[in-house]
Every structure is written in structure tokens, then in C-alpha cells.
Amino acid sequence: MSDRNNRQRDRDFDFETQPGIPSKLPDGEEILWQGRPDTMALARGAYKINWILGYMLAIVVWRAGGAYADGGIKLMLATALPYLVLSVAGPAVVYLLAWAQARSSIYTITSARVIMRIGAALPVTYTIPFVRIGTARLDLRTNGTGTIAMELTEGVRLSYAILWPHLRPWFARETQPAFRCIADATHVARLLSDAAQAKLNEPVVSRAASGGMSVAAE
């Protein structure tokens, strides 16, 4: 059954020229990096799996303690077991959701833009030219994973609900799309910065009215 589901998912993206790229790149544009969220980092950062696990374990201790005071060890075990099962099942479901999001997402940096193919249930692809990115902010974790959030220029608005969790949390009014919970985030942030700077400083050649050539900085 899993093989059949994998083949079906592959067919869902048959229109892509290659994974994560909705159409053929123009001549001269190249892929510089592709990646996806780290599942455990996404589970911790976006889905708050550690908080959920801690909360459910606290309920187990609370219920078990009350049962022990009322009826001793036997009642404690009988009461705690169902809650203990739930405390394992709950985070497992959360981890599965994070895994589905990570597996279905592909982040891409080209020499001209950022491309985000996201969404486990309803896949969508966002293309963001470098000229539309005002600033980028790196939120780095001690293990090297991190989130690169992109503040867009004025007039560009993206849906918070559709982007989640691939965005900077708590910025609902001015949504900031993000490479969420990626590995080696420092390297990727530097690559994005260098690529954007190179593109924005690239000269544009246009034909002058007299038939000669004029050069203008973009």
C-alpha cells in the first residue's frame, strides 16, 4: 500500500521538470541549493512536540498520584496505563504530521529566485524573485538547524494559513515565508545572501535609441 501511495504522489508532480521546480528554468538560471525541513526540528519548532509530551506526562503523573493516594499501587497502575498510552500516541501523531510536511516540501534557491513547494494535503508552489525579498533573518539553533525568514517588499502578501508552518511564527499581518527548520542553516543563509546580492547587482543591457548599447544597473 505504501508503494502505491508513493507512486501516486510522484504522479501528482508529473508537471514538474524536476522535483520542486514548476517549470523549466530560463537560460542562464541555475539551481544553487535544494533542501527540505528536518522532521524532528520541525516537530519541535512548529508543532511543539516537546511541550505536548511534557503536558501529557504531567497529566500521567497527576492522575497516577491521585490514584495511588486513593487505592495504592494497583489502582495507580490501572489508572496511569491508559494515560501513558495516550502520552505516547499523541506525540507520535504530531511527529507523523511533521514528517508528512517535511517529506512533501522542497525549498529551492536558484541564481534568480526562491521557490517553495509546500503542503502535504494541498500542495502549492510559491516563486519569490530576489527583488521581492527585502531582508532575510536567520534563527539558528545550537544543533545547526535553523529557520531563514524572508521579509517581502511592500505590496507582496501571502496567505498565513496556506504557508504555515513554512513561515516566521507570529507575523500574521506581514507574513514572512521561511525555509523552516533546515539543516546547515548558516551555509544556506550565506548562499541565499550571496545569490541575491549577485542578482540585484547584475547589470542590465538595453538597446539605446541610436542603435548603440547602453548599460544600466538593476
Side-chain angles (χ1 to χ4, degrees), residues 65-200:
Y68 180 79
D70 293 338
I73 188 71
K74 290 185 178 179
L75 182 60
M76 181 192 75
L77 293 175
T79 301
L81 185 59
Y83 287 97
L84 190 60
V85 171
L86 288 175
S87 71
V88 174
V93 171
V94 171
Y95 182 86
L96 182 62
L97 292 173
W99 173 84
Q101 277 288 352
R103 182 178 180 274
S104 62
S105 302
I106 299 179
Y107 303 144
T108 303
I109 300 174
T110 77
S111 53
R113 52 184 162 159
V114 164
I115 302 173
M116 300 173 63
R117 191 250 271 172
I118 59 174
L122 296 174
V124 62
T125 299
Y126 285 104
T127 296
I128 308 172
F130 290 147
V131 71
R132 294 300 184 184
I133 300 175
T135 59
R137 175 183 180 273
L138 171 62
D139 181 11
L140 188 65
R141 302 302 181 185
T142 56
N143 63 357
T145 62
T147 293
I148 304 172
M150 291 161 278
E151 182 179 350
L152 304 181
T153 56
E154 187 175 354
V156 180
R157 294 291 182 269
L158 300 179
S159 169
Y160 190 96
I162 294 177
L163 267 177
W164 194 92
H166 311 276
L167 44 70
R168 185 180 179 187
W170 312 115
F171 281 74
R173 179 172 295 181
E174 296 182 359
T175 305
Q176 298 182 18
F179 291 167
R180 193 77 185 268
C181 302
I182 57 173
D184 201 8
T186 300
H187 167 73
V188 178
R190 186 177 299 113
L191 189 154
L192 173 61
S193 176
D194 292 345
Q197 193 65 37
K199 179 62 179 177
L200 295 178

